[in-house]
Amino acid sequence: MIGMTTYLQQAQTGVWDVQASFLPAVYFQGVNLAGGVVVLLPPQPTDAGTADRVLDGLDGLILTGGKDVDPARYGQRPHARTDEPDRVRDGWEFALVDGALRRDMPVLGICRGAQVLNVALGGTLIQHLPDVIGHTHHQKGNAVFGTSAVWTEPGTRLADLIGKTSGAQCYHHQAIDRLGEGLVVSARDDDGVIEAVELDRAAHPGTWVVAVQWHPEERLDDLRLFAGVVAAAARHAKERNVLEHQHH
């Protein structure tokens, strides 16, 4: 059972134009095709206790794409190009990721999800990438994804999953700057931008936490990341069952 966070914003369907919680279907189709069952987790006011109750029913967590993380969470003032923060969604996802990390639950971060993970662990973000690298290839605008080659770091979980290099569908104007505690870089692009991070395998051998700055759900012909989190969640569920039986 994989929990996936959802968007909270204006959405149109038929004659309705309303505030809605939604998630593009490709996200959960990726998990379904990899053999997982998805539970959607809409943003809502929360505290650690609520987040823990939700996590009790899950074997893995996926933090999905969306708006920029509130810069106040990493001690910065907003850049002119940074999105107006969605504090409800931020609060919800930070509570979920904190709880998931506490219980060694597998976590996959996608785009914004990678940034949430990094900030949750005390890291910072580059608020507007073109200021640093001088071009806008990572976010062309008008929902057009740019394809970049990403190069993985040998020995990481990500390299085990996708090999040395992969074409990645990118749509982001922010990126990871200072790494959060316990994270290592697992992929960069040709500009040296961090495109993936994960919990250091040496320090946390039993915990599968991987986050990518690109959008694997945009190419469902390549399910390796979804298969990775589903397999890790299956292992986590099995270990949890064993522990519960020992208690009884």
Side-chain angles (χ1 to χ4, degrees):
M1 299 286 274
I2 311 280
M4 299 187 88
T5 59
T6 72
Y7 293 66
L8 179 63
Q9 58 201 66
Q10 209 64 17
Q12 290 175 303
T13 170
V15 295
W16 309 105
D17 184 358
V18 293
Q19 270 277 299
S21 148
F22 67 92
L23 188 68
V26 282
Y27 276 105
F28 53 85
Q29 285 162 350
V31 173
N32 293 158
L33 289 166
V37 175
V38 172
V39 180
L40 294 183
L41 306 173
Q44 53 201 298
T46 190
D47 55 41
T50 314
D52 272 330
R53 284 286 304 279
V54 170
L55 292 165
D56 283 344
L58 302 174
D59 307 311
L61 176 68
I62 297 180
L63 301 165
T64 59
K67 286 188 173 168
D68 299 332
V69 174
D70 183 356
R73 289 206 171 250
Y74 49 95
Q76 290 183 16
R77 299 175 67 101
H79 183 285
R81 300 291 298 274
T82 296
D83 297 331
E84 191 58 37
D86 179 346
R87 294 194 176 92
V88 173
R89 182 170 179 188
D90 283 355
W92 175 240
E93 293 191 353
F94 279 89
L96 287 170
V97 79
D98 289 345
L101 292 169
R102 265 202 324 274
R103 50 178 81 201
D104 294 330
M105 179 180 279
V107 177
L108 173 61
I110 294 175
C111 199
R112 166 192 157 89
Q115 297 169 359
V116 168
L117 175 70
N118 192 58
V119 173
L121 289 168
T124 62
L125 304 177
I126 297 166
Q127 285 195 56
H128 195 54
L129 207 42
D131 291 351
V132 180
I133 58 175
H135 64 74
T136 57
H137 179 72
H138 291 272
Q139 190 179 46
K140 293 179 170 177
N142 293 332
V144 176
F145 285 85
T147 305
S148 332
V150 298
W151 304 89
T152 58
E153 293 289 332
T156 55
R157 290 183 189 280
L158 185 68
D160 288 356
L161 272 178
I162 68 169
K164 190 174 162 183
T165 184
S166 177
Q169 297 289 97
C170 288
Y171 198 84
H172 61 99
H173 82 111
Q174 297 198 337
I176 288 168
D177 191 5
R178 193 184 71 235
L179 280 179
E181 203 176 320
L183 294 176
V184 294
V185 174
S186 45
R188 293 181 187 270
D189 69 3
D190 290 330
D191 290 310
V193 175
I194 296 173
E195 283 287 345
V197 293
E198 60 186 62
L199 210 50
D200 183 8
R201 200 177 205 168
H204 306 271
T207 313
W208 196 99
V209 175
V210 173
V212 298
Q213 192 51 80
W214 66 88
H215 284 272
E217 78 285 356
E218 289 297 320
R219 285 195 37 213
L220 293 182
D221 55 340
D222 179 356
L223 291 171
R224 291 173 297 183
L225 275 163
F226 290 117
V229 71
V230 169
R235 285 193 299 274
H236 180 71
K238 206 167 161 184
E239 284 159 15
R240 210 169 59 170
N241 280 340
V242 169
L243 287 174
E244 280 171 9
H245 284 303
Q246 284 169 354
H247 283 305
H248 298 313

